[in-house]
Amino acid sequence: MIDWLQSWFSAQSMSPWEAVAVVFAMAYLLLAVRENILCWFFALLSTAIYTVLFWDVSLLMESALNVYYMAMAVYGWQQWTRGGKSVDGKPHSLEVQFMSSRQHVLVIAVITVLTAA
């Protein structure tokens, strides 16, 4: 079985660590959609693995970007556990916010124009 697994990774040009990082990244997305705080743990693990992988192949700026992502995972976890602060200084919970269809269309249009430019 190990030989089959190694040949599969070779055919996919993906290391076992990269596969683990992909699985963790997918877990992050699924948990974030479900508003589960564990999403931040998987985001941190995934980006930590990618940081090391990028560093090993001398993609230093990609590695640095993933250090930023790790910091954002810690910040996201902190915000979800402690919430933001209101005007009176007392903590309050942060609610998930949604965009309307009109806002989505506007954002997509702006991104398309900026991409073309």
Side-chain angles (χ1 to χ4, degrees):
M1 170 127 175
I2 299 293
D3 292 333
W4 174 84
L5 194 58
Q6 287 175 339
S7 66
W8 185 82
F9 283 126
S10 296
Q12 300 301 318
S13 299
M14 185 183 298
S15 72
W17 277 112
E18 190 174 358
V20 169
V22 168
V23 169
F24 285 167
M26 290 178 6
Y28 159 72
L29 288 172
L30 292 173
L31 291 167
V33 166
R34 294 185 175 158
E35 300 175 24
N36 186 321
I37 195 167
L38 288 176
C39 70
W40 300 112
F41 174 73
F42 285 100
L44 181 67
L45 289 178
S46 174
T47 55
I49 293 169
Y50 278 124
T51 301
V52 172
L53 291 174
F54 289 142
W55 186 268
D56 285 343
V57 294
S58 297
L59 292 172
L60 305 181
M61 292 310 292
E62 289 291 330
S63 187
L65 181 61
N66 275 280
V67 170
Y68 171 77
Y69 291 153
M70 284 191 295
M72 289 298 97
V74 171
Y75 177 75
W77 174 82
Q78 184 268 337
Q79 286 296 303
W80 274 27
T81 55
R82 297 193 181 103
K85 293 200 179 200
S86 63
V87 177
D88 60 5
K90 295 180 181 176
H92 72 281
S93 64
L94 299 173
E95 296 182 19
V96 174
Q97 300 194 7
F98 300 93
M99 290 184 358
S100 68
S101 296
R102 184 174 183 209
Q103 289 171 316
H104 277 286
V105 169
L106 179 64
V107 168
I108 290 170
V110 168
I111 290 171
T112 302
V113 169
L114 290 174
T115 300

Short mmCIF file of all heavy atoms in Angstrom, two decimals, residues 21-36 38-44 46 80:
data_model
loop_
_atom_site.label_atom_id
_atom_site.label_comp_id
_atom_site.label_asym_id
_atom_site.label_seq_id
_atom_site.Cartn_x
_atom_site.Cartn_y
_atom_site.Cartn_z
N ALA A 21 -1.58 19.52 3.97
CA ALA A 21 -1.92 20.95 4.00
C ALA A 21 -3.20 21.23 3.21
O ALA A 21 -4.02 22.04 3.64
CB ALA A 21 -0.76 21.77 3.44
N VAL A 22 -3.37 20.56 2.08
CA VAL A 22 -4.59 20.74 1.28
C VAL A 22 -5.81 20.25 2.05
O VAL A 22 -6.84 20.92 2.10
CB VAL A 22 -4.47 20.00 -0.08
CG1 VAL A 22 -5.81 19.93 -0.78
CG2 VAL A 22 -3.44 20.69 -0.96
N VAL A 23 -5.69 19.10 2.70
CA VAL A 23 -6.81 18.57 3.49
C VAL A 23 -7.15 19.53 4.63
O VAL A 23 -8.33 19.81 4.89
CB VAL A 23 -6.48 17.15 4.02
CG1 VAL A 23 -7.50 16.69 5.05
CG2 VAL A 23 -6.40 16.17 2.86
N PHE A 24 -6.13 20.05 5.31
CA PHE A 24 -6.37 21.01 6.39
C PHE A 24 -7.01 22.29 5.86
O PHE A 24 -7.87 22.88 6.51
CB PHE A 24 -5.08 21.34 7.13
CG PHE A 24 -4.61 20.25 8.05
CD1 PHE A 24 -3.34 20.29 8.58
CD2 PHE A 24 -5.40 19.16 8.39
CE1 PHE A 24 -2.87 19.31 9.43
CE2 PHE A 24 -4.96 18.17 9.24
CZ PHE A 24 -3.69 18.24 9.76
N ALA A 25 -6.59 22.75 4.69
CA ALA A 25 -7.17 23.96 4.09
C ALA A 25 -8.64 23.72 3.75
O ALA A 25 -9.48 24.61 3.95
CB ALA A 25 -6.39 24.37 2.85
N MET A 26 -8.96 22.54 3.24
CA MET A 26 -10.36 22.22 2.94
C MET A 26 -11.17 22.13 4.23
O MET A 26 -12.32 22.59 4.28
CB MET A 26 -10.44 20.94 2.13
CG MET A 26 -9.91 21.14 0.73
SD MET A 26 -9.86 19.72 -0.40
CE MET A 26 -10.63 18.40 0.38
N ALA A 27 -10.57 21.56 5.29
CA ALA A 27 -11.25 21.51 6.59
C ALA A 27 -11.52 22.92 7.10
O ALA A 27 -12.60 23.21 7.63
CB ALA A 27 -10.41 20.72 7.59
N TYR A 28 -10.53 23.81 6.92
CA TYR A 28 -10.73 25.21 7.32
C TYR A 28 -11.94 25.80 6.62
O TYR A 28 -12.80 26.43 7.26
CB TYR A 28 -9.47 26.04 7.00
CG TYR A 28 -9.77 27.51 6.91
CD1 TYR A 28 -10.05 28.24 8.06
CD2 TYR A 28 -9.81 28.15 5.68
CE1 TYR A 28 -10.36 29.59 7.98
CE2 TYR A 28 -10.11 29.50 5.60
CZ TYR A 28 -10.39 30.22 6.74
OH TYR A 28 -10.70 31.55 6.66
N LEU A 29 -12.02 25.62 5.30
CA LEU A 29 -13.14 26.20 4.55
C LEU A 29 -14.49 25.65 5.01
O LEU A 29 -15.44 26.41 5.22
CB LEU A 29 -12.96 25.96 3.06
CG LEU A 29 -11.86 26.77 2.39
CD1 LEU A 29 -11.63 26.31 0.96
CD2 LEU A 29 -12.20 28.24 2.44
N LEU A 30 -14.56 24.34 5.16
CA LEU A 30 -15.82 23.73 5.58
C LEU A 30 -16.23 24.19 6.98
O LEU A 30 -17.41 24.48 7.23
CB LEU A 30 -15.72 22.20 5.54
CG LEU A 30 -15.58 21.60 4.14
CD1 LEU A 30 -15.30 20.10 4.23
CD2 LEU A 30 -16.84 21.86 3.33
N LEU A 31 -15.27 24.26 7.88
CA LEU A 31 -15.58 24.70 9.24
C LEU A 31 -15.93 26.19 9.28
O LEU A 31 -16.80 26.61 10.06
CB LEU A 31 -14.42 24.39 10.18
CG LEU A 31 -14.20 22.90 10.45
CD1 LEU A 31 -12.86 22.66 11.12
CD2 LEU A 31 -15.34 22.34 11.30
N ALA A 32 -15.28 26.99 8.46
CA ALA A 32 -15.59 28.43 8.42
C ALA A 32 -17.01 28.66 7.90
O ALA A 32 -17.74 29.50 8.43
CB ALA A 32 -14.58 29.17 7.55
N VAL A 33 -17.40 27.89 6.88
CA VAL A 33 -18.76 28.01 6.36
C VAL A 33 -19.78 27.66 7.44
O VAL A 33 -20.83 28.29 7.53
CB VAL A 33 -18.93 27.11 5.11
CG1 VAL A 33 -20.39 26.94 4.75
CG2 VAL A 33 -18.16 27.68 3.94
N ARG A 34 -19.43 26.71 8.28
CA ARG A 34 -20.33 26.30 9.36
C ARG A 34 -20.16 27.13 10.62
O ARG A 34 -20.74 26.83 11.66
CB ARG A 34 -20.12 24.82 9.66
CG ARG A 34 -20.53 23.98 8.48
CD ARG A 34 -20.46 22.53 8.75
NE ARG A 34 -21.00 21.84 7.58
CZ ARG A 34 -20.74 20.61 7.28
NH1 ARG A 34 -19.96 19.91 8.05
NH2 ARG A 34 -21.26 20.07 6.21
N GLU A 35 -19.31 28.17 10.53
CA GLU A 35 -19.06 29.08 11.64
C GLU A 35 -18.56 28.35 12.89
O GLU A 35 -18.95 28.65 14.01
CB GLU A 35 -20.32 29.90 11.97
CG GLU A 35 -20.78 30.75 10.81
CD GLU A 35 -22.08 31.46 11.09
OE1 GLU A 35 -22.40 31.70 12.27
OE2 GLU A 35 -22.78 31.78 10.12
N ASN A 36 -17.65 27.40 12.67
CA ASN A 36 -17.06 26.63 13.75
C ASN A 36 -15.68 27.20 14.05
O ASN A 36 -14.84 27.36 13.15
CB ASN A 36 -16.96 25.16 13.33
CG ASN A 36 -16.49 24.26 14.45
OD1 ASN A 36 -15.62 24.60 15.23
ND2 ASN A 36 -17.08 23.08 14.50
N LEU A 38 -13.09 25.94 15.23
CA LEU A 38 -11.96 25.07 14.88
C LEU A 38 -11.38 25.38 13.51
O LEU A 38 -10.28 24.94 13.19
CB LEU A 38 -12.38 23.60 14.94
CG LEU A 38 -12.60 23.03 16.34
CD1 LEU A 38 -13.10 21.59 16.24
CD2 LEU A 38 -11.33 23.09 17.14
N CYS A 39 -12.09 26.17 12.71
CA CYS A 39 -11.57 26.53 11.39
C CYS A 39 -10.22 27.22 11.53
O CYS A 39 -9.32 26.99 10.72
CB CYS A 39 -12.55 27.39 10.63
SG CYS A 39 -12.77 29.06 11.27
N TRP A 40 -10.04 28.04 12.56
CA TRP A 40 -8.79 28.78 12.73
C TRP A 40 -7.62 27.86 13.05
O TRP A 40 -6.49 28.12 12.64
CB TRP A 40 -8.95 29.86 13.79
CG TRP A 40 -10.03 30.81 13.39
CD1 TRP A 40 -11.24 30.99 13.99
CD2 TRP A 40 -10.01 31.70 12.28
NE1 TRP A 40 -11.97 31.93 13.31
CE2 TRP A 40 -11.24 32.39 12.26
CE3 TRP A 40 -9.07 32.00 11.29
CZ2 TRP A 40 -11.55 33.34 11.30
CZ3 TRP A 40 -9.38 32.94 10.34
CH2 TRP A 40 -10.60 33.61 10.34
N PHE A 41 -7.88 26.80 13.78
CA PHE A 41 -6.84 25.81 14.08
C PHE A 41 -6.34 25.17 12.78
O PHE A 41 -5.13 25.06 12.56
CB PHE A 41 -7.39 24.75 15.04
CG PHE A 41 -6.46 23.62 15.30
CD1 PHE A 41 -5.34 23.80 16.10
CD2 PHE A 41 -6.71 22.37 14.76
CE1 PHE A 41 -4.47 22.73 16.35
CE2 PHE A 41 -5.85 21.32 15.01
CZ PHE A 41 -4.73 21.50 15.80
N PHE A 42 -7.27 24.77 11.91
CA PHE A 42 -6.88 24.15 10.65
C PHE A 42 -6.22 25.14 9.70
O PHE A 42 -5.32 24.79 8.94
CB PHE A 42 -8.07 23.44 10.00
CG PHE A 42 -8.43 22.16 10.69
CD1 PHE A 42 -9.47 22.10 11.59
CD2 PHE A 42 -7.69 21.02 10.45
CE1 PHE A 42 -9.78 20.92 12.25
CE2 PHE A 42 -7.99 19.83 11.10
CZ PHE A 42 -9.03 19.79 11.99
N ALA A 43 -6.66 26.40 9.75
CA ALA A 43 -6.01 27.43 8.94
C ALA A 43 -4.56 27.60 9.38
O ALA A 43 -3.65 27.69 8.54
CB ALA A 43 -6.76 28.75 9.07
N LEU A 44 -4.33 27.62 10.68
CA LEU A 44 -2.97 27.77 11.21
C LEU A 44 -2.09 26.59 10.80
O LEU A 44 -0.97 26.78 10.33
CB LEU A 44 -3.01 27.92 12.72
CG LEU A 44 -1.66 28.12 13.40
CD1 LEU A 44 -1.07 29.47 13.02
CD2 LEU A 44 -1.81 28.02 14.91
N SER A 46 -2.50 24.45 8.28
CA SER A 46 -2.30 24.42 6.83
C SER A 46 -1.25 25.44 6.40
O SER A 46 -0.33 25.11 5.65
CB SER A 46 -3.63 24.70 6.12
OG SER A 46 -3.44 24.81 4.75
N TRP A 80 -12.83 35.53 17.46
CA TRP A 80 -13.99 34.67 17.66
C TRP A 80 -14.15 34.27 19.11
O TRP A 80 -15.26 34.02 19.57
CB TRP A 80 -13.89 33.43 16.79
CG TRP A 80 -14.42 33.63 15.40
CD1 TRP A 80 -14.47 34.81 14.71
CD2 TRP A 80 -14.95 32.65 14.53
NE1 TRP A 80 -14.99 34.60 13.46
CE2 TRP A 80 -15.30 33.28 13.32
CE3 TRP A 80 -15.15 31.28 14.64
CZ2 TRP A 80 -15.85 32.61 12.24
CZ3 TRP A 80 -15.69 30.60 13.56
CH2 TRP A 80 -16.04 31.27 12.39
#
